[in-house]
Amino acid sequence: MVKTKTLIKQNNERRKLLNEENKVYYENLMVYIRTSPFKDDKATEEVLMELLEHLLSAQEDGKTAENVFGKAPKELADEIIAGLPKEKPSKTVIFIVEIVVQFLGMFIAVTGIATIIKGEPKIIHIGSASLLAAVQIVGILLLIVLLLKLLKSDAFKQNPQSKKMFWSWALGSGVFILVVLIFGVWMEPFGPAIEVSKYTQLIAGGVLILAAFGLKKWRETK
């Protein structure tokens, strides 16, 4: 049984055989389909590989992607997406948990490094720390959704608006950072207070990052 990761790797290698015109057409199709949420990853990659192999075979006969798939790639992509099976809810939940755990691990590890540099224990208020973490997690998930929407909206355009996409992403990231700073600076600490040693946060962050890596590997086997 071929894994999703293997299919993606094969796709990356086989795409190099496309000529420039066919490559642009196919990659727009690929990005649009891949950025559609809640679709089974493996089924998506299998369909993309079938399309790629079909196009490569036609290319050898001197045909273009428009000859093979038509002049309405967005409509074709929508039809393909509609026919793809939905991702299992459990796998979607695992993916979200993976992102959350990875982010929390990175955040805790970075704050742990700052604590080590200061050379003194850190007082953490459970209530305010939990609220700040929740705000950051929601912000990260919203940024991911924004990025997927920007990538999808830019597909099939005659003149891709990479600058507009960059500034939209930068604006979203700026708002996120501003909100986090406002919460972090002006929010009064509340909830039970605990003192952690200067190495505890770094170790805890490392454990969470490893846990996220383990979840990713486990998810890729499904």
Side-chain angles (χ1 to χ4, degrees), residues 101-122 124 195-211:
V101 171
Q102 183 177 27
F103 173 74
L104 283 177
M106 293 172 63
F107 175 73
I108 293 173
V110 169
T111 56
I113 292 172
T115 301
I116 292 173
I117 292 173
K118 289 181 179 179
E120 57 186 28
K122 182 178 179 65
I124 296 177
E195 181 180 294
V196 296
S197 70
K198 60 182 182 179
Y199 294 107
T200 300
Q201 284 180 282
L202 182 60
I203 294 172
V207 169
L208 287 175
I209 291 172
L210 288 174

Short mmCIF file of all heavy atoms in Angstrom, two decimals, residues 101-122 124 195-211:
data_model
loop_
_atom_site.label_atom_id
_atom_site.label_comp_id
_atom_site.label_asym_id
_atom_site.label_seq_id
_atom_site.Cartn_x
_atom_site.Cartn_y
_atom_site.Cartn_z
N VAL A 101 -0.49 21.04 19.52
CA VAL A 101 0.59 20.55 20.37
C VAL A 101 1.94 21.09 19.90
O VAL A 101 2.78 21.49 20.72
CB VAL A 101 0.61 19.00 20.39
CG1 VAL A 101 1.85 18.47 21.09
CG2 VAL A 101 -0.64 18.47 21.11
N GLN A 102 2.14 21.09 18.59
CA GLN A 102 3.40 21.61 18.05
C GLN A 102 3.59 23.09 18.39
O GLN A 102 4.67 23.51 18.81
CB GLN A 102 3.45 21.41 16.54
CG GLN A 102 4.77 21.85 15.92
CD GLN A 102 4.81 21.59 14.43
OE1 GLN A 102 3.78 21.55 13.76
NE2 GLN A 102 5.99 21.39 13.88
N PHE A 103 2.52 23.86 18.20
CA PHE A 103 2.62 25.29 18.50
C PHE A 103 2.88 25.54 19.98
O PHE A 103 3.73 26.35 20.35
CB PHE A 103 1.34 26.02 18.07
CG PHE A 103 1.33 27.45 18.51
CD1 PHE A 103 2.11 28.40 17.87
CD2 PHE A 103 0.57 27.84 19.60
CE1 PHE A 103 2.12 29.71 18.29
CE2 PHE A 103 0.57 29.15 20.03
CZ PHE A 103 1.35 30.09 19.37
N LEU A 104 2.13 24.83 20.83
CA LEU A 104 2.33 25.00 22.27
C LEU A 104 3.75 24.63 22.66
O LEU A 104 4.38 25.29 23.49
CB LEU A 104 1.32 24.14 23.04
CG LEU A 104 -0.11 24.67 23.13
CD1 LEU A 104 -0.99 23.67 23.88
CD2 LEU A 104 -0.14 26.02 23.82
N GLY A 105 4.25 23.55 22.06
CA GLY A 105 5.62 23.13 22.35
C GLY A 105 6.64 24.19 21.99
O GLY A 105 7.55 24.50 22.76
N MET A 106 6.47 24.80 20.80
CA MET A 106 7.39 25.84 20.36
C MET A 106 7.28 27.08 21.25
O MET A 106 8.31 27.66 21.64
CB MET A 106 7.07 26.22 18.90
CG MET A 106 7.36 25.11 17.91
SD MET A 106 6.78 25.49 16.23
CE MET A 106 7.78 26.91 15.84
N PHE A 107 6.05 27.45 21.60
CA PHE A 107 5.84 28.63 22.44
C PHE A 107 6.47 28.41 23.83
O PHE A 107 7.18 29.29 24.35
CB PHE A 107 4.35 28.91 22.58
CG PHE A 107 4.04 30.03 23.52
CD1 PHE A 107 4.28 31.34 23.16
CD2 PHE A 107 3.50 29.78 24.78
CE1 PHE A 107 3.99 32.40 24.03
CE2 PHE A 107 3.21 30.82 25.66
CZ PHE A 107 3.46 32.12 25.28
N ILE A 108 6.21 27.26 24.42
CA ILE A 108 6.74 26.96 25.76
C ILE A 108 8.26 26.87 25.72
O ILE A 108 8.95 27.33 26.64
CB ILE A 108 6.11 25.67 26.30
CG1 ILE A 108 4.62 25.88 26.56
CG2 ILE A 108 6.80 25.23 27.60
CD1 ILE A 108 3.87 24.62 26.93
N ALA A 109 8.80 26.26 24.66
CA ALA A 109 10.26 26.13 24.56
C ALA A 109 10.93 27.50 24.44
O ALA A 109 11.96 27.76 25.08
CB ALA A 109 10.62 25.26 23.35
N VAL A 110 10.33 28.38 23.62
CA VAL A 110 10.91 29.73 23.45
C VAL A 110 10.87 30.51 24.77
O VAL A 110 11.86 31.15 25.15
CB VAL A 110 10.16 30.50 22.34
CG1 VAL A 110 10.56 31.97 22.34
CG2 VAL A 110 10.45 29.88 20.98
N THR A 111 9.73 30.46 25.45
CA THR A 111 9.65 31.15 26.74
C THR A 111 10.58 30.51 27.76
O THR A 111 11.11 31.19 28.65
CB THR A 111 8.20 31.14 27.28
OG1 THR A 111 7.73 29.78 27.36
CG2 THR A 111 7.28 31.94 26.38
N GLY A 112 10.80 29.20 27.60
CA GLY A 112 11.75 28.51 28.49
C GLY A 112 13.17 29.00 28.28
O GLY A 112 13.93 29.16 29.24
N ILE A 113 13.54 29.24 27.03
CA ILE A 113 14.87 29.76 26.73
C ILE A 113 15.04 31.15 27.34
O ILE A 113 16.09 31.48 27.90
CB ILE A 113 15.09 29.82 25.20
CG1 ILE A 113 15.16 28.39 24.63
CG2 ILE A 113 16.37 30.57 24.86
CD1 ILE A 113 15.18 28.33 23.12
N ALA A 114 13.97 31.96 27.24
CA ALA A 114 14.02 33.30 27.84
C ALA A 114 14.20 33.21 29.36
O ALA A 114 14.95 34.00 29.96
CB ALA A 114 12.75 34.06 27.51
N THR A 115 13.55 32.23 29.97
CA THR A 115 13.67 32.04 31.42
C THR A 115 15.09 31.64 31.80
O THR A 115 15.65 32.11 32.80
CB THR A 115 12.69 30.96 31.90
OG1 THR A 115 11.35 31.35 31.57
CG2 THR A 115 12.78 30.75 33.41
N ILE A 116 15.71 30.77 30.97
CA ILE A 116 17.08 30.33 31.23
C ILE A 116 18.04 31.51 31.13
O ILE A 116 18.96 31.66 31.93
CB ILE A 116 17.48 29.21 30.25
CG1 ILE A 116 16.68 27.93 30.55
CG2 ILE A 116 18.98 28.92 30.34
CD1 ILE A 116 16.87 26.84 29.54
N ILE A 117 17.81 32.36 30.13
CA ILE A 117 18.68 33.53 29.94
C ILE A 117 18.59 34.45 31.16
O ILE A 117 19.60 35.00 31.63
CB ILE A 117 18.29 34.30 28.66
CG1 ILE A 117 18.62 33.43 27.43
CG2 ILE A 117 19.02 35.63 28.58
CD1 ILE A 117 18.13 34.02 26.12
N LYS A 118 17.36 34.62 31.67
CA LYS A 118 17.18 35.45 32.87
C LYS A 118 17.82 34.82 34.09
O LYS A 118 18.20 35.50 35.04
CB LYS A 118 15.69 35.70 33.12
CG LYS A 118 15.04 36.63 32.10
CD LYS A 118 13.58 36.84 32.44
CE LYS A 118 12.91 37.79 31.46
NZ LYS A 118 11.48 37.98 31.77
N GLY A 119 17.88 33.47 34.09
CA GLY A 119 18.54 32.75 35.17
C GLY A 119 17.76 32.68 36.46
O GLY A 119 18.34 32.53 37.55
N GLU A 120 16.43 32.77 36.37
CA GLU A 120 15.62 32.71 37.59
C GLU A 120 14.31 31.98 37.30
O GLU A 120 13.86 31.93 36.14
CB GLU A 120 15.32 34.11 38.11
CG GLU A 120 14.64 35.00 37.10
CD GLU A 120 14.48 36.42 37.57
OE1 GLU A 120 15.31 36.87 38.39
OE2 GLU A 120 13.53 37.10 37.11
N PRO A 121 13.71 31.38 38.31
CA PRO A 121 12.44 30.66 38.11
C PRO A 121 11.36 31.61 37.59
O PRO A 121 11.44 32.82 37.74
CB PRO A 121 12.09 30.15 39.52
CG PRO A 121 13.38 30.16 40.26
CD PRO A 121 14.16 31.32 39.71
N LYS A 122 10.34 31.03 36.98
CA LYS A 122 9.26 31.83 36.40
C LYS A 122 7.95 31.52 37.13
O LYS A 122 7.65 30.36 37.42
CB LYS A 122 9.10 31.53 34.91
CG LYS A 122 8.04 32.37 34.21
CD LYS A 122 8.00 32.05 32.74
CE LYS A 122 6.92 32.86 32.02
NZ LYS A 122 7.21 34.30 32.04
N ILE A 124 4.06 31.31 36.86
CA ILE A 124 3.03 31.17 35.84
C ILE A 124 1.66 31.14 36.51
O ILE A 124 1.43 30.37 37.45
CB ILE A 124 3.22 29.87 35.02
CG1 ILE A 124 4.53 29.93 34.24
CG2 ILE A 124 2.05 29.66 34.07
CD1 ILE A 124 4.83 28.68 33.46
N GLU A 195 5.34 28.11 40.48
CA GLU A 195 6.71 28.49 40.15
C GLU A 195 7.38 27.31 39.45
O GLU A 195 7.34 26.18 39.92
CB GLU A 195 7.49 28.83 41.42
CG GLU A 195 8.93 29.25 41.16
CD GLU A 195 9.68 29.59 42.43
OE1 GLU A 195 9.30 30.59 43.08
OE2 GLU A 195 10.62 28.86 42.78
N VAL A 196 7.97 27.58 38.29
CA VAL A 196 8.66 26.52 37.54
C VAL A 196 10.13 26.88 37.44
O VAL A 196 10.50 28.06 37.36
CB VAL A 196 8.06 26.35 36.12
CG1 VAL A 196 6.61 25.88 36.21
CG2 VAL A 196 8.14 27.63 35.32
N SER A 197 10.97 25.86 37.46
CA SER A 197 12.40 26.09 37.38
C SER A 197 12.78 26.58 35.99
O SER A 197 11.99 26.49 35.04
CB SER A 197 13.17 24.80 37.69
OG SER A 197 13.01 23.87 36.64
N LYS A 198 13.97 27.09 35.85
CA LYS A 198 14.38 27.69 34.58
C LYS A 198 14.53 26.68 33.44
O LYS A 198 14.57 27.07 32.27
CB LYS A 198 15.67 28.48 34.75
CG LYS A 198 16.86 27.65 35.24
CD LYS A 198 18.08 28.55 35.42
CE LYS A 198 19.31 27.75 35.85
NZ LYS A 198 20.49 28.63 36.01
N TYR A 199 14.60 25.38 33.78
CA TYR A 199 14.73 24.36 32.73
C TYR A 199 13.42 23.62 32.45
O TYR A 199 13.29 22.95 31.43
CB TYR A 199 15.81 23.35 33.10
CG TYR A 199 17.20 23.93 33.14
CD1 TYR A 199 17.84 24.14 34.36
CD2 TYR A 199 17.86 24.28 31.97
CE1 TYR A 199 19.12 24.68 34.40
CE2 TYR A 199 19.13 24.83 32.02
CZ TYR A 199 19.76 25.02 33.23
OH TYR A 199 21.01 25.57 33.28
N THR A 200 12.44 23.76 33.34
CA THR A 200 11.20 23.00 33.21
C THR A 200 10.45 23.32 31.92
O THR A 200 9.99 22.43 31.21
CB THR A 200 10.28 23.27 34.40
OG1 THR A 200 10.95 22.90 35.61
CG2 THR A 200 8.99 22.48 34.28
N GLN A 201 10.34 24.61 31.61
CA GLN A 201 9.61 25.01 30.40
C GLN A 201 10.28 24.49 29.13
O GLN A 201 9.61 24.01 28.22
CB GLN A 201 9.49 26.52 30.33
CG GLN A 201 8.45 27.11 31.27
CD GLN A 201 8.40 28.62 31.15
OE1 GLN A 201 9.26 29.32 31.67
NE2 GLN A 201 7.41 29.13 30.44
N LEU A 202 11.59 24.59 29.06
CA LEU A 202 12.31 24.12 27.88
C LEU A 202 12.11 22.62 27.69
O LEU A 202 11.86 22.16 26.57
CB LEU A 202 13.81 24.43 28.01
CG LEU A 202 14.68 24.04 26.81
CD1 LEU A 202 14.22 24.75 25.55
CD2 LEU A 202 16.15 24.34 27.10
N ILE A 203 12.18 21.87 28.77
CA ILE A 203 11.99 20.41 28.69
C ILE A 203 10.55 20.09 28.27
O ILE A 203 10.31 19.25 27.40
CB ILE A 203 12.32 19.75 30.04
CG1 ILE A 203 13.81 19.90 30.35
CG2 ILE A 203 11.92 18.28 30.03
CD1 ILE A 203 14.21 19.46 31.74
N ALA A 204 9.58 20.79 28.89
CA ALA A 204 8.17 20.56 28.56
C ALA A 204 7.89 20.89 27.10
O ALA A 204 7.18 20.15 26.40
CB ALA A 204 7.28 21.39 29.47
N GLY A 205 8.46 21.99 26.63
CA GLY A 205 8.29 22.37 25.23
C GLY A 205 8.88 21.33 24.29
O GLY A 205 8.26 20.98 23.28
N GLY A 206 10.06 20.82 24.63
CA GLY A 206 10.69 19.78 23.81
C GLY A 206 9.86 18.51 23.76
O GLY A 206 9.73 17.89 22.69
N VAL A 207 9.28 18.14 24.89
CA VAL A 207 8.44 16.94 24.94
C VAL A 207 7.21 17.11 24.04
O VAL A 207 6.83 16.19 23.30
CB VAL A 207 7.99 16.65 26.40
CG1 VAL A 207 6.91 15.58 26.43
CG2 VAL A 207 9.18 16.21 27.24
N LEU A 208 6.59 18.30 24.08
CA LEU A 208 5.41 18.55 23.24
C LEU A 208 5.77 18.55 21.76
O LEU A 208 5.00 18.04 20.93
CB LEU A 208 4.78 19.89 23.63
CG LEU A 208 4.03 19.92 24.97
CD1 LEU A 208 3.57 21.34 25.27
CD2 LEU A 208 2.86 18.97 24.95
N ILE A 209 6.92 19.12 21.41
CA ILE A 209 7.35 19.11 20.00
C ILE A 209 7.57 17.68 19.52
O ILE A 209 7.17 17.31 18.40
CB ILE A 209 8.63 19.94 19.83
CG1 ILE A 209 8.33 21.44 20.06
CG2 ILE A 209 9.23 19.75 18.44
CD1 ILE A 209 9.56 22.31 20.11
N LEU A 210 8.18 16.85 20.34
CA LEU A 210 8.38 15.44 20.00
C LEU A 210 7.04 14.71 19.88
O LEU A 210 6.86 13.87 18.99
CB LEU A 210 9.26 14.75 21.05
CG LEU A 210 10.74 15.14 21.04
CD1 LEU A 210 11.46 14.49 22.22
CD2 LEU A 210 11.41 14.72 19.72
N ALA A 211 6.09 15.07 20.77
CA ALA A 211 4.77 14.46 20.71
C ALA A 211 4.06 14.82 19.40
O ALA A 211 3.42 13.96 18.77
CB ALA A 211 3.93 14.91 21.90
#
